[in-house]
Amino acid sequence: MLCAGVVQMLGRTSGPLTEEGLENIRQHKYKGGQYTKLDNLLNPLWTKSTELLPMWVPPNVVTAVGGVCHLTSLGLTMVYCPTFTEVAPAWVLQVCAVLIFSGYWLDCMDGKQARRTGSSSPLGQLFDHGCDALSLLAHFSLTAILTAPLASSFRLVVANLVILHTTFFLSQWVEYHTHELIHSLGGFGITEVISFAVVMALGLSFVDRGQGSILDMEVSLPMVGAANLSTLYMVGFVIMHMILIPCSLWLVVSQKRGAELVWALSHVAPVVAIGVVTLFGWPEEVLATHSRILCLP
């Protein structure tokens, strides 16, 4: 009912949404991508957790509580690691790991609660994706406070943020054009990425993370040269997400031709431009000095 009211309200005002666009909102149905093995393992637990919720709890409340978990984690990292150069206290890593894991767990429950209560709507999915976009900052910030203090260049830290936001945008872009939200590739997806980050944060919270620690151990690799484990971790993170970019582009390019393809690719151009300017448009000293300001947008 709420979604229908919003659509009716939009229909009464002049704006960028066409009648065709409004009709697409009315008819939109969520279609998720393939589950990974870890998704299938955890799915019964997500279902059981959802069944513990009272029927009167709106799914958007579940989404909002998950969003609060992520924003609380982000707030902790901003207070205790304001420039990404500080070594975070062990309890901060532990609390942030629990908050991010809890936020993702709730994110996996809200859709189930919506179907369980018969209140699924495009507006609910939009709200969910909005909270997911904010949660990216929490995920990035947790990874950054683990690795940035010993990274060889802060530009590499910003590259992690740029690639993370770009791949998130592309997943929504692919859904817009193919009507299917892809959240995994080759048996590896969002659940695995978040689980790995949580396990890393918990594990590293019990060891030294400063100069001379295991994260500062230097390794020499072909084509990379000598670099410590913090730097190699961030390079690996960027490479892993860069693989997703051509895959996402192909999912749309393979279905579009001519003017439709040009129109679809035009949506990607501003995101690429913002990423390039963020990554290469600032001197290294500015990136390091104003890290939090650059990493919040």
Side-chain angles (χ1 to χ4, degrees), residues 149-166:
L150 298 174
S152 59
S153 168
F154 195 80
R155 201 176 300 278
L156 183 58
V157 179
V158 177
N160 276 256
L161 178 67
V162 170
I163 199 72
L164 189 63
H165 275 276
T166 301

Side-chain angles (χ1 to χ4, degrees), residues 77-92:
T77 62
M78 291 179 68
V79 170
Y80 287 92
C81 304
T83 65
F84 293 122
T85 59
E86 302 82 3
V87 176
W91 72 267
V92 170

